Structure formats: structure tokens, C-alpha cells
Amino acid sequence: MSDSPIALEHHLEPHQQHHFVDMEQQKHAASLGMWLFLATELMFFGGMFCAYLIYRWSYPVEFGVGSRTLNLPLGAANTAVLICSSLTVALSIRATQMGKRTLTVVLLLLTMVFGLTFLVIKGFEWNEKYEKHHIPGASFRLSAEDLKGVNVDPQQMQDFQARTQTFYSLYFAMTGLHALHMIIGVGLFLYLTYAAWKGQYGPAYYTPLENGGLYWHFVDIVWIYLFPLLYLIDRNLQK
Amino acid sequence: MSSEKSEHSDHILPSGLYWGIWALLIVLTFVTAWVANIDLGRFNTVVALVIATFKASVVVLFFMHVKYTSEKLTKVVIFSAIFFLVILLSLSMADYASRLMN
């Protein structure tokens, strides 16, 4: 293999695969592949957002009742936590571009801390839902406090509660799917941090870090939409 | 080939830009939570979605470097993904909205 002049030329850059003309082309191909994956992810989450839209259109009052029982301060705090994690991802890639290995590793560790903080806060929120019997199923019930200001015919209460469970089902499905993406993201970053610590990335090659960052930002964007759609609809119902 | 390579090196964005974007996103998070408590009727949803879309665009353009990418194919993928999402949402809603009209 080493006698071939082509092979020699191609192995000047250690990270370059032999089927690419140069690093630039390789990087573009990897980036395009990542964006195509994110496009499929968008359609994946899009199906859930579509289900949300249809049921919210059909049951606006029930969705309002469900939404205002969510913990707004924790939801807003989690939004801020994810924005911070996106910042540390962007800064870690910048640090790699400048060849600062230690800074890269520190920023990647911080990203994972933010990611885990998000999951812990989410866990507290889910636990609160469990304690308040807001998990769809046999023990689901809305308290008088939850229904304050909403006129529901007592005879139709059972149907009303059943429809409100639709909101909670979508809430758990959407935040659960998002949390699963966060868990995968933390796992991904665990590997990226290890590889960065080993010195595998530098100004010449950091494609895995960049694509991991794209994934992380995408998951952040999903939450940017989930937060207003789940937590902020009809907060004024309580007046 | 070698002269091209120096041009290809990705230009590094100033860290101040990232911090500025971060501050903007944090401020908008508080704005959207605050506006939700003001009764704007059905416009509450519109305002919340406009702010969310603005935040998402900023993340895509700056954190995901789409504003600075030279690769047109990436932009084609992004626009077609959004286009198909809009088809999914708008045609589904056109169906449901017109069913309830009767």
C-alpha cells in the first residue's frame, strides 16, 4: 500500500478517509449527513407536534387546565439550563478550533453537567406530577384546585378528565422523548469528552465534535418549542 | 491545492458573539414566560411561537454555524426539512379545522 503514490498522498492527513479528495470535502459530506439525520429527527418530533396541535385544537379548555398545572419556574429554569449548555457546546468547538485542548474538555464537561441538571429538574417535575395524580391512568384525577375557574358540568366531569389526560399523555410522550434524546446526548458527549481529552481533535480535525454539537443544539431547539407549547398556553385561564 | 487549503480553514467566531447570543436567548426566555401571564387572548400563542421561532433561528444561524457555512446543500436540506414539516402540520390542520366547521 505504501508504494502507491496515491495512498501516500492520501495519508498525509491522518484523519482523511481514502475516498475523499481532501479534508474539506470529507467535512462537508459528514456535515451534510448530520443535517439529513436532523431532518429525519425533525419529522420524528413533527409527528408528535402534529398530534399536539390536533388535540389542542379539539380540547382547548382541557389543554389550558393541564398546562397551568405544570411547574412554570422549573420549566423556565430548564430552558435557561439548556441555553447555557448550548453556549458551552459552541464555545468548546471554538476552543478546539483554536487548539485549546484543556478548555475544550472543561467546556464539554460543563455541557454534560448542564445536560444532567436538566434531567434532574425534569425528574423533580415528573415526580410532582406523580404525587398530584396527574399521570394518565387509573389513579388520574384533577383536584378542585386544578379546576379552579373552569365550569364543568358535574355529569360530564368524567369525560372532561379523560380529555385532560390527553394533554398529560402528550406532555409525558413529548418531554419523555426529549429526555431520551438528552440521555443519548450526554452519552455521546461522554465519548466526545474522552476523545478530546485524548487529544484526538484539533484545528485540523474536529468533525465528530461539530456533529455532536449539531445534535445537542437540535435537542435544545426542540425544547425551545416544547416550553411555550406545554407550559405557557392559557396561563390566564386561572383569572 | 495548498493555496486553497489556507482559505478553507474555518474562521473562528469571536467568543463575545456566542455570549451575546446566549444573553439574548436567556432574556427572550424570561420575556416569553412573562408575556404568557398577560391576557392577549388567542394572540398569546402567536407571540409565544414567534419568540420560539426567533430563538430557534438564532440557535441555527449562530450556534449551528449555518450563517457561516459555504455549503449550499446544507441549506437545501434545512429548508426542505422545514418545508415538509409545514406540509405535515398545515395539511393535517386544514383537515381537522374544516371538519369542525360543519
Side-chain angles (χ1 to χ4, degrees):
Chain A
M1 187 175 85
S2 55
D3 327 338
S4 159
I6 296 167
L8 262 179
E9 194 201 350
H10 274 175
H11 284 87
L12 285 175
E13 175 57 63
H15 291 289
Q16 187 179 331
Q17 304 288 314
H18 66 87
H19 48 281
F20 290 110
V21 172
D22 56 19
M23 286 301 279
E24 183 76 6
Q25 189 195 36
Q26 175 175 311
K27 199 180 166 199
H28 281 165
S31 173
L32 182 65
M34 193 63 205
W35 278 104
L36 279 170
F37 169 69
L38 293 184
T40 68
E41 285 274 271
L42 190 68
M43 295 310 283
F44 182 46
F45 277 101
M48 305 229 76
F49 279 103
C50 189
Y52 167 90
L53 211 57
I54 288 167
Y55 281 107
R56 184 176 165 192
W57 177 273
S58 310
Y59 311 141
V61 179
E62 291 84 346
F63 268 52
V65 167
S67 172
R68 67 181 187 177
T69 66
L70 299 183
N71 194 322
L72 181 55
L74 286 187
N78 252 350
T79 311
V81 166
L82 274 195
I83 289 169
C84 291
S85 75
S86 267
L87 173 72
T88 53
V89 168
L91 288 178
S92 78
I93 291 170
R94 182 176 181 272
T96 310
Q97 287 175 327
M98 303 195 319
K100 294 179 180 171
R101 188 177 69 110
T102 316
L103 185 62
T104 304
V105 171
V106 168
L107 286 164
L108 287 175
L109 286 172
L110 265 176
T111 305
M112 283 191 288
V113 168
F114 283 128
L116 291 172
T117 307
F118 176 91
L119 287 168
V120 168
I121 293 177
K122 202 79 226 141
F124 279 114
E125 281 190 68
W126 281 334
N127 185 53
E128 188 186 319
K129 294 281 129 235
Y130 173 76
E131 285 172 350
K132 288 185 173 171
H133 294 272
H134 285 163
I135 293 182
S139 65
F140 178 87
R141 68 163 184 267
L142 290 169
S143 67
E145 172 79 11
D146 298 332
L147 289 164
K148 203 172 71 181
V150 184
N151 282 322
V152 188
D153 185 346
Q155 291 199 316
Q156 289 175 356
M157 189 46 111
Q158 210 169 1
D159 286 345
F160 185 87
Q161 297 230 6
R163 290 195 297 269
T164 310
Q165 288 191 47
T166 309
F167 171 80
Y168 289 104
S169 300
L170 281 166
Y171 166 77
F172 282 109
M174 293 171 97
T175 57
L177 194 64
H178 180 266
L180 180 67
H181 276 78
M182 290 293 299
I183 293 167
I184 293 169
V186 171
L188 206 63
F189 271 66
L190 213 55
Y191 166 75
L192 290 174
T193 309
Y194 174 74
W197 177 60
K198 282 280 185 187
Q200 287 184 18
Y201 310 131
Y205 175 76
Y206 56 91
T207 305
L209 205 55
E210 191 165 72
N211 284 350
L214 288 180
Y215 174 85
W216 194 276
H217 293 309
F218 172 82
V219 177
D220 183 14
I221 287 172
V222 171
W223 184 260
I224 284 176
Y225 278 98
L226 283 181
F227 173 60
L229 288 178
L230 293 174
Y231 291 75
L232 300 179
I233 53 173
D234 276 330
R235 299 300 298 193
N236 306 300
L237 207 64
Q238 51 205 331
K239 284 178 187 161
Chain B
M1 200 51 201
S2 54
S3 63
E4 256 180 64
K5 220 156 200 169
S6 56
E7 277 178 43
H8 281 160
S9 64
D10 317 88
H11 58 277
I12 301 168
L13 299 175
S15 62
L17 178 72
Y18 290 128
W19 281 99
I21 296 299
W22 170 80
L24 180 68
L25 290 170
I26 293 284
V27 167
L28 284 176
T29 300
F30 284 103
V31 167
T32 192
W34 171 71
V35 166
N37 287 311
I38 301 169
D39 196 350
L40 301 172
R42 56 172 41 187
F43 284 102
N44 273 116
T45 310
V46 177
V47 170
L49 284 179
V50 166
I51 293 177
T53 303
F54 182 75
K55 283 165 78 182
S57 309
V58 166
V59 171
V60 168
L61 287 175
F62 295 97
F63 281 171
M64 293 168 103
H65 298 141
V66 168
K67 190 175 190 291
Y68 304 96
T69 184
S70 56
E71 194 59 74
K72 288 193 178 66
L73 214 47
T74 305
K75 287 168 184 170
V76 170
V77 169
I78 296 168
F79 278 113
S80 49
I82 295 169
F83 177 69
F84 281 103
L85 182 70
V86 169
I87 286 183
L88 171 69
L89 298 179
S90 62
L91 291 191
S92 307
M93 283 324 288
D95 179 1
Y96 274 83
S98 56
R99 275 186 210 190
L100 293 176
M101 270 178 196
N102 304 323

Coordinates of all heavy atoms in Angstrom, one line a residue, chain A residues 164-192:
Chain A
T164 N -58.7 15.7 29.5 CA -57.5 16.3 30.0 C -56.3 15.4 30.1 O -55.2 15.8 29.9 CB -57.8 16.9 31.5 OG1 -59.0 17.6 31.4 CG2 -56.7 17.8 31.9
Q165 N -56.6 14.1 30.3 CA -55.5 13.1 30.2 C -54.8 13.1 28.9 O -53.6 12.7 28.9 CB -56.0 11.7 30.5 CG -56.5 11.5 32.0 CD -56.8 10.1 32.3 OE1 -56.0 9.2 32.0 NE2 -57.9 9.8 33.0
T166 N -55.5 13.5 27.8 CA -54.8 13.5 26.5 C -53.7 14.5 26.6 O -52.6 14.3 26.1 CB -55.8 14.0 25.5 OG1 -57.0 13.2 25.5 CG2 -55.2 13.9 24.1
F167 N -53.9 15.7 27.3 CA -52.8 16.6 27.4 C -51.6 16.0 28.1 O -50.5 16.1 27.7 CB -53.3 17.9 28.2 CG -52.2 18.8 28.5 CD1 -51.7 19.7 27.6 CD2 -51.6 18.8 29.8 CE1 -50.6 20.5 27.9 CE2 -50.5 19.6 30.1 CZ -50.0 20.5 29.1
Y168 N -51.9 15.3 29.3 CA -50.8 14.8 30.0 C -50.1 13.6 29.3 O -48.9 13.5 29.4 CB -51.3 14.3 31.4 CG -51.6 15.4 32.3 CD1 -53.0 15.7 32.6 CD2 -50.7 16.2 32.9 CE1 -53.3 16.8 33.4 CE2 -51.0 17.3 33.7 CZ -52.3 17.6 34.0 OH -52.6 18.6 34.8
S169 N -50.9 12.9 28.5 CA -50.2 11.8 27.7 C -49.3 12.4 26.7 O -48.1 12.0 26.6 CB -51.3 11.1 26.9 OG -52.2 10.5 27.8
L170 N -49.7 13.5 26.1 CA -48.8 14.2 25.1 C -47.6 14.8 25.8 O -46.5 14.8 25.4 CB -49.6 15.3 24.3 CG -50.4 14.7 23.2 CD1 -51.4 15.7 22.6 CD2 -49.5 14.2 22.0
Y171 N -47.9 15.4 27.0 CA -46.8 16.0 27.8 C -45.7 15.0 28.2 O -44.5 15.2 27.9 CB -47.4 16.6 29.1 CG -46.3 17.0 30.2 CD1 -45.6 18.1 30.0 CD2 -46.1 16.1 31.3 CE1 -44.6 18.4 31.0 CE2 -45.1 16.4 32.2 CZ -44.4 17.6 32.0 OH -43.4 17.9 33.0
F172 N -46.2 13.8 28.6 CA -45.2 12.8 29.0 C -44.5 12.2 27.8 O -43.3 11.9 27.8 CB -45.8 11.7 29.9 CG -46.0 12.1 31.3 CD1 -47.3 12.3 31.8 CD2 -44.9 12.3 32.1 CE1 -47.5 12.8 33.1 CE2 -45.1 12.7 33.4 CZ -46.4 12.9 33.9
A173 N -45.3 12.0 26.7 CA -44.7 11.5 25.5 C -43.6 12.4 24.9 O -42.5 12.0 24.6 CB -45.7 11.2 24.4
M174 N -44.0 13.7 24.9 CA -43.0 14.7 24.2 C -41.8 15.0 25.1 O -40.7 15.0 24.6 CB -43.8 16.0 23.9 CG -44.8 15.7 22.8 SD -45.9 17.1 22.6 CE -45.1 17.9 21.1
T175 N -42.1 15.2 26.4 CA -40.9 15.5 27.3 C -40.1 14.2 27.5 O -38.9 14.3 27.6 CB -41.4 16.1 28.6 OG1 -42.2 15.2 29.3 CG2 -42.1 17.4 28.5
G176 N -40.8 13.1 27.5 CA -40.1 11.8 27.6 C -39.1 11.5 26.4 O -38.0 11.2 26.6
L177 N -39.7 11.8 25.3 CA -38.9 11.6 24.0 C -37.7 12.6 24.0 O -36.6 12.2 23.6 CB -39.8 11.8 22.8 CG -39.2 11.3 21.5 CD1 -39.0 9.8 21.5 CD2 -40.1 11.7 20.3
H178 N -38.0 13.8 24.5 CA -36.9 14.8 24.5 C -35.9 14.4 25.6 O -34.7 14.5 25.3 CB -37.5 16.2 24.9 CG -36.5 17.3 25.0 ND1 -36.0 17.6 26.2 CD2 -36.0 18.0 24.0 CE1 -35.1 18.6 25.9 NE2 -35.1 18.9 24.6
A179 N -36.3 13.9 26.7 CA -35.4 13.5 27.8 C -34.5 12.3 27.3 O -33.3 12.3 27.5 CB -36.1 13.1 29.0
L180 N -35.1 11.4 26.5 CA -34.4 10.3 25.9 C -33.3 10.8 25.0 O -32.1 10.4 25.0 CB -35.3 9.4 25.1 CG -34.7 8.2 24.5 CD1 -34.2 7.2 25.5 CD2 -35.7 7.5 23.6
H181 N -33.6 11.9 24.2 CA -32.6 12.5 23.4 C -31.5 13.1 24.2 O -30.3 13.1 23.8 CB -33.2 13.5 22.5 CG -33.8 12.9 21.2 ND1 -35.0 12.3 21.2 CD2 -33.3 12.9 20.0 CE1 -35.3 11.8 20.0 NE2 -34.3 12.2 19.2
M182 N -31.9 13.7 25.4 CA -30.9 14.3 26.2 C -29.9 13.2 26.8 O -28.7 13.4 26.9 CB -31.6 15.0 27.4 CG -32.3 16.3 27.0 SD -31.2 17.6 26.5 CE -30.2 17.8 27.9
I183 N -30.5 12.1 27.2 CA -29.7 11.0 27.8 C -28.7 10.5 26.7 O -27.5 10.3 27.0 CB -30.6 9.8 28.3 CG1 -31.4 10.3 29.5 CG2 -29.8 8.6 28.6 CD1 -32.6 9.4 29.9
I184 N -29.2 10.3 25.5 CA -28.3 9.9 24.4 C -27.3 11.0 24.1 O -26.1 10.7 23.9 CB -29.2 9.7 23.1 CG1 -30.1 8.5 23.3 CG2 -28.2 9.5 21.9 CD1 -31.1 8.3 22.2
G185 N -27.7 12.3 24.2 CA -26.7 13.4 24.0 C -25.6 13.3 25.1 O -24.4 13.5 24.8
V186 N -26.0 13.1 26.4 CA -25.0 13.0 27.4 C -24.0 11.9 27.1 O -22.8 12.0 27.3 CB -25.6 12.9 28.8 CG1 -24.6 12.6 29.9 CG2 -26.4 14.2 29.1
G187 N -24.6 10.7 26.7 CA -23.7 9.6 26.4 C -22.7 9.9 25.3 O -21.5 9.6 25.3
L188 N -23.3 10.6 24.2 CA -22.5 11.0 23.1 C -21.3 11.9 23.5 O -20.2 11.8 23.1 CB -23.4 11.8 22.1 CG -23.1 11.8 20.7 CD1 -23.1 10.4 20.1 CD2 -24.1 12.7 20.0
F189 N -21.7 12.8 24.4 CA -20.7 13.8 24.9 C -19.6 13.2 25.8 O -18.5 13.7 25.9 CB -21.4 15.0 25.5 CG -21.7 16.1 24.5 CD1 -22.6 15.8 23.5 CD2 -21.0 17.3 24.5 CE1 -22.8 16.8 22.5 CE2 -21.2 18.3 23.5 CZ -22.2 18.0 22.5
L190 N -20.1 12.1 26.5 CA -19.1 11.4 27.3 C -18.0 10.9 26.4 O -16.8 11.0 26.7 CB -19.8 10.2 28.0 CG -19.4 9.7 29.4 CD1 -19.4 10.9 30.3 CD2 -20.3 8.6 29.8
Y191 N -18.4 10.3 25.3 CA -17.4 9.8 24.3 C -16.5 11.0 23.8 O -15.3 10.9 23.7 CB -18.0 9.0 23.2 CG -17.1 8.8 22.0 CD1 -16.1 7.8 22.1 CD2 -17.2 9.6 20.9 CE1 -15.2 7.6 21.1 CE2 -16.3 9.4 19.9 CZ -15.3 8.4 20.0 OH -14.4 8.2 18.9
L192 N -17.2 12.0 23.4 CA -16.5 13.2 22.7 C -15.5 13.8 23.7 O -14.4 14.2 23.3 CB -17.5 14.2 22.3 CG -18.4 13.9 21.1 CD1 -19.4 14.9 20.8 CD2 -17.5 13.7 19.8

